[in-house]
Amino acid sequence: MGAPLSSWPWENLGIFKYVLYGPLVGKVVYGLLYEEEHSNSNLNWWCLHLLILCGLRGLVHVLWCSYSNLLFLTRNRRILQQGVDFKQIDKEWDWDNFMILQALVGSICFYVFPFLQHLPLWNAKGLIAALVLHVGVSEPLYYWVHKKFHEDYLFTHYHSLHHSSPVPTPLTAENATLLEHVILTVVIGIPIIGASMMGYGSGSLVYSYVLIFDFLRCLGHCNVEIVPHKLFEAFPFLRYVIYTPTYHNLHHTEKDTNFCLFMPLFDALGNTLNKNSWTLHKTLSSGSGNDDKAPHFVFLAHMVDLSSCMHVPFVLRSTASLPYKTRLLFLPGLPLTFMVVLAMWIWSKTFLLSFYYLRGRLHQTWVVPRCGFQYFLPFATDGINKQIEQAILRADKMGVKVISLAALNKNESLNGGGKLFVDKHPNLKVRVVHGNTLTAAVILNELPQDVEEVFLTGATSKLGRAIALYLCQKKVRVLMLTISNDRFQKILKEAPVEYQSYLVQVTKYQAAQNCKTWIVGKWITPREQSWAPRGTHFHQFVVPPILSFRRDCTYGDLAAMRLPEDVEGIGCCEYTMDRGVVHACHAGGVVHSLEGWSHHEVGAIDVNRIDLVWQAALKHGLRLVSSQHIKCH
């Protein structure tokens, strides 16, 4: 058993912990359904305000978390450069436990302190009284208790949880044990209860004090310096009145200084003020402390659809850390997302989305601000290519070694798999990679070892061509779906004469009604899937993935590989991928970077390099994602 009050009573309830709000909700509903003479209207309103306050407090934390993850805005003012990984995200998953606790305590206070039942909407004296109590009681009390929690027993059994997060985030602020939040509840309650006991309490005081308290807690843990140093230069006394993210980060990194709640004055009085606080703050707030470090590798991604646009860390960090799927939670946000996508179409440029480190090298994901449907609009082609070209030139100027193009960004009809940019800028130092060679290798190594026949859609695309040519040389019969005899004949002539008989042109899906291995490179409808025999497995390299229509068949994910185990700071999932798994075109760029290859990989796939690239991926610790119903080589 752990130390007393070190765990939350509802920690095993999971999402059902929110049932604890039930009595408050029930009281509000009861008051609305029945006449007020049959209910305590003051209690009903108090419960309603508690619920509203909890919603607003949650919103404050989520908005701060979103801001700290807007890397294209905050990267130069980040204090710690590490990424927030899945382990930290999971550890902070139940950050909102404190709101349940304080909502329940708030409802109890209604009965314990009768004067709370008749609070006016506004009382200016209450704000002054609360400020005096905060500075005179809450601040020194928190400072003293915080120092005690850094002593051996209390730190080991309680406060170490809060400090276990390597990178402070707004949600780290509330990642603490039950005992700590009980004490913090007292710290918050003293100014509110005290001002109310003096007769100066008000509803606006409760809302403003609690929300400002949360706002400042999040500010201190956001890992982005936003307080300008010129403010302290103009008004030096303010540096003792309000702390900064840099100030509190020093407490998390060194642990024996900067214990204050919000006011460094108490650290100065207690001789625990870190001597580097103001110097480091000036450096970071000016943006000179973290110069825009050039990544070694960039994956140039794009938006797939409206729902996936919300699967990013600056919307909801928690859902972005899970494999993508359409969630009902996202449905109300679709209209706003659509408006944002249109606005980005007009104004936005390629932006930084996420990053991680691999063997000391910085890897970043940049996003072209275009959604999947826009890639199929003829009039949008030039604009998209311009965005991609500008991203490549920017990467070249920064000193990036390799930039890999995501699925639609390397579309053959769009830019020839990146060949357009390489031909236009022959002196590029950055290596442009489409990653299709490794994508082909992943698909080929997913196939059962004893496969004798496959059905291939998208057969004359770059990937389709490479897969067909590779398989025919392994004496696997390939049914190539295409109505273009010329394109088929061109591929057929590339195959060695002795293997050409293994390539068969078909023009209808009916031709595959006895083939249980389908490789899908072109989107197929449920009706077209119906021609597959029972037990078929659909391998695919089409974006977006096909619908899982057949219950008597199985469906593979998009070609992907798991990053090496020594990857650091990765905390979000790519589209449809599991944790730590990236699309094969992303992995292809990683391999290109790790190997230090000096050539571009654009245009057609060199079939002879498929095995070479595959072996290089395995050598560097990338692994094929195991999938049920697939026998892997």
Side-chain angles (χ1 to χ4, degrees), residues 297 392 401-405 410 415-422 428 430-441 462-463 584-593 597-610 612-614:
F297 164 72
I392 292 173
K401 302 301 181 184
V402 177
I403 184 167
S404 180
L405 307 180
K410 62 185 178 187
N415 51 48
K419 192 172 184 299
L420 172 67
F421 312 116
V422 173
L428 285 173
V430 63
R431 299 306 168 196
V432 181
V433 176
H434 56 40
N436 284 337
T437 306
L438 186 58
T439 303
K462 292 188 300 292
L463 270 167
C585 50
H586 183 150
V590 172
V591 173
H592 207 96
S593 169
W597 287 328
S598 59
H599 64 278
H600 298 289
E601 184 189 76
V602 294
I605 302 173
D606 184 351
V607 178
N608 297 322
R609 287 183 57 85
I610 290 178
L612 172 66
V613 173
W614 177 250

Side-chain angles (χ1 to χ4, degrees), residues 437-602:
T437 306
L438 186 58
T439 303
V442 168
I443 294 170
L444 291 166
N445 281 276
E446 283 181 344
L447 299 177
Q449 293 181 351
D450 57 352
V451 66
E452 296 181 353
E453 182 180 69
V454 302
F455 175 62
L456 178 63
T457 73
T460 58
S461 64
K462 292 188 300 292
L463 270 167
R465 164 193 163 276
I467 291 170
L469 291 174
Y470 185 95
L471 287 175
C472 77
Q473 295 179 56
K474 300 296 181 182
K475 297 184 178 180
V476 177
R477 189 166 182 259
V478 183
L479 305 179
M480 300 176 64
L481 180 67
T482 177
I483 60 174
S484 175
N485 186 62
D486 291 340
R487 298 186 72 172
F488 172 76
Q489 290 297 326
K490 184 177 179 180
I491 296 174
L492 186 65
K493 291 177 181 178
E494 291 186 63
V497 175
E498 64 271 28
Y499 300 117
Q500 289 182 357
S501 61
Y502 289 95
L503 299 180
V504 180
Q505 180 184 9
V506 297
T507 58
K508 296 182 179 181
Y509 288 89
Q510 291 92 317
Q513 56 188 333
N514 295 317
C515 180
K516 290 189 175 183
T517 302
W518 284 37
I519 303 177
V520 183
K522 183 178 180 181
W523 212 84
I524 55 177
T525 65
R527 181 178 181 182
E528 291 164 342
Q529 293 179 37
S530 67
W531 290 104
R534 181 184 180 88
T536 294
H537 184 83
F538 294 92
H539 306 266
Q540 53 185 319
F541 58 93
V542 58
V543 178
I546 61 175
L547 299 174
S548 301
F549 171 71
R550 296 280 300 275
R551 294 195 175 186
D552 57 349
C553 298
T554 56
Y555 295 78
D557 289 324
L558 296 175
M561 296 198 78
R562 186 171 298 280
L563 290 171
E565 294 182 358
D566 55 345
V567 63
E568 297 176 331
I570 185 169
C572 62
C573 295
E574 288 191 355
Y575 180 69
T576 75
M577 296 295 108
D578 201 352
R579 289 182 165 186
V581 176
V582 296
H583 293 102
C585 50
H586 183 150
V590 172
V591 173
H592 207 96
S593 169
L594 292 173
E595 282 291 311
W597 287 328
S598 59
H599 64 278
H600 298 289
E601 184 189 76
V602 294

